Amino acid sequence: MMETTHNKSQIDISVIIPIFNEEGIIAELYQRLRKSVMNVSENYEFIFVNDGSRDGSLIQLMKIAESDPKTYYINFSRNFGHQIAVTAGLDFCNGDAVVIIDGDLQDPPELIPQLYDEYKQGFEVVYAQRRKRKGETFFKKITAKLFYRILKRITSINIPLDTGDFRLIDKKVVSYLNKMPEQNKFLRGQIAWLGFNQTYVQYDRDSRKEGKTGYTLGKMLKFALDGITGFSDKPLLFVSRLGIFISFIAFIVLMYAIYAHYFLGTTITGWTSLMVSFLFIGGIQLISVGVIGEYISRINKNILNRPLYIIEKTNLKTKKNAEK
């Protein structure tokens, strides 16, 4: 990663905002963020990470950065994903306290002073917990609810229920996050794994101001798999135990077939039952290989050790820029 050398004078609070096709609300987002953060401290920095937006988001960010020297932007060479965008912000931020907030205004910037108040009470992690999720489909609400509860049951760490990435973390938490090199990022799980003194502030999540969510069903499934495979080995245990169970059932059926043939005078026949058995066992094998493959895929990505992201343009003064 490129090391930031921009002004490191006392910064009380950094705010990291991943952006993906949010051109229409960036101006409002910035104004609400600035008004909210000014209630906390005048020593702040905003780090907007443009994650391969296809609209005019970058132009809007560059205009804001020109008028506000405390605002920085990072523009990726392509879309690398929400978690990677947040990770880039964590690599470059310098605040004693760091807020992570999405750029779609579903999470209200006005909550930041409450998060900071809890931080000043001695908490190193203050996460925002949702009471309500406005503007989201029943399918998304119920699947999210199930996912977090299943994840809580199959992992040994305490990942808070009904929370996203909207939270405030201490700089010591940031330093440890930056030492976690895994490619498949699941930040809320990593923060929970670190521990520290944590608390929460409840709020009602708003609906999107405009546009569509960047989290498609495919991205949601990938995110869920990253969370499960990154913090639990229970799927592997389930696969192995399922294999033992099916082998036991097959042994019982074999014993019954031998008994029926020699003692009852009947032979179990039937093309249908044979095919059903083959298809059932074949399906279990494919599922098992798929689960194991997910873990192997994670290992492979980390062995390749490719950079998490590529910066195409930024107004941060980096070592690389300084050498040019």
Side-chain angles (χ1 to χ4, degrees):
M1 298 300 169
M2 292 184 290
E3 181 181 340
T4 178
T5 59
H6 72 278
N7 185 13
K8 292 187 179 180
S9 60
Q10 182 64 37
I11 297 175
D12 294 325
I13 185 167
S14 301
V15 184
I16 298 169
I17 314 102
I19 297 291
F20 181 68
N21 295 337
E22 308 291 357
E23 175 186 11
I25 61 172
I26 285 178
E28 179 186 351
L29 171 64
Y30 167 72
Q31 292 298 334
R32 288 175 62 180
L33 279 170
R34 188 171 185 276
K35 183 178 179 180
S36 178
V37 171
M38 288 291 285
N39 290 327
V40 171
S41 173
E42 294 184 0
N43 299 320
Y44 68 87
E45 66 176 2
F46 294 150
I47 301 179
F48 290 90
V49 185
N50 186 41
D51 186 23
S53 296
R54 295 184 293 271
D55 60 2
S57 294
L58 178 60
I59 296 173
Q60 295 291 322
L61 295 176
M62 292 174 69
K63 287 179 180 178
I64 293 172
E66 287 178 2
S67 63
D68 183 357
K70 297 178 181 179
T71 295
Y72 302 94
Y73 66 85
I74 297 171
N75 185 54
F76 283 171
S77 61
R78 64 171 176 83
N79 178 261
F80 283 89
H82 176 273
Q83 298 290 285
I84 303 301
V86 175
T87 299
L90 293 172
D91 286 338
F92 284 90
C93 66
N94 292 297
D96 292 333
V98 178
V99 172
I100 303 167
I101 184 171
D102 286 347
D104 54 14
L105 284 178
Q106 286 188 271
D107 298 326
E110 292 75 18
L111 197 68
I112 292 175
Q114 294 183 49
L115 299 177
Y116 195 79
D117 286 343
E118 294 295 332
Y119 162 73
K120 297 302 287 184
Q121 296 297 318
F123 293 98
E124 286 101 347
V125 177
V126 187
Y127 54 88
Q129 188 175 58
R130 305 162 184 145
R131 283 187 301 244
K132 296 179 181 178
R133 300 166 64 109
K134 298 178 183 177
E136 295 183 352
T137 63
F138 173 79
F139 175 77
K140 186 170 183 179
K141 288 179 181 177
I142 194 67
T143 51
K145 201 176 190 71
L146 285 172
F147 166 66
Y148 286 113
R149 280 150 182 81
I150 291 172
L151 189 62
K152 189 177 181 69
R153 289 185 65 87
I154 66 175
T155 59
S156 58
I157 58 175
N158 184 26
I159 300 177
L161 297 175
D162 303 320
T163 61
D165 291 311
F166 184 24
R167 63 190 62 208
L168 181 150
I169 55 179
D170 184 84
K171 64 180 179 181
K172 73 174 73 170
V173 179
V174 175
S175 69
Y176 282 110
L177 287 174
N178 290 339
K179 295 176 183 177
M180 295 183 176
E182 55 255 47
Q183 298 277 324
N184 300 78
K185 292 290 185 180
F186 187 68
L187 290 169
R188 62 199 71 170
Q190 291 178 326
I191 293 171
W193 181 86
L194 286 172
F196 291 109
N197 197 12
Q198 304 193 12
T199 189
Y200 64 92
V201 172
Q202 290 189 320
Y203 75 110
D204 295 330
R205 196 169 199 234
D206 294 328
S207 56
R208 287 183 65 87
K209 285 284 183 178
E210 63 174 54
K212 296 181 180 178
T213 178
Y215 261 102
T216 61
L217 179 60
K219 288 184 178 180
M220 288 169 60
L221 289 173
K222 181 182 180 301
F223 185 66
L225 285 173
D226 286 342
I228 293 171
T229 56
F231 293 92
S232 176
D233 60 357
K234 293 290 179 64
L236 290 174
L237 292 174
F238 173 76
V239 164
S240 62
R241 290 169 182 172
L242 184 61
I244 294 171
F245 175 74
I246 292 175
S247 298
F248 177 74
I249 295 297
F251 178 76
I252 295 298
V253 172
L254 176 63
M255 291 297 99
Y256 175 74
I258 294 174
Y259 174 80
H261 179 77
Y262 287 104
F263 295 96
L264 301 180
T266 59
T267 301
I268 299 176
T269 60
W271 180 86
T272 302
S273 60
L274 187 64
M275 288 303 298
V276 168
S277 299
F278 280 150
L279 290 174
F280 175 71
I281 295 173
I284 295 298
Q285 288 176 332
L286 288 175
I287 292 172
S288 302
V289 170
V291 170
I292 297 169
E294 284 295 328
Y295 285 89
I296 294 174
S297 174
R298 293 179 64 88
I299 297 170
N300 179 60
K301 286 180 180 178
N302 286 301
I303 289 174
L304 290 173
N305 198 29
R306 292 171 180 164
L308 286 176
Y309 54 84
I310 303 296
I311 297 177
E312 187 271 334
K313 181 185 296 184
T314 180
N315 66 335
L316 288 164
K317 301 297 182 182
T318 64
K319 279 187 176 180
K320 187 173 182 179
N321 287 341
E323 292 168 358
K324 289 183 178 179

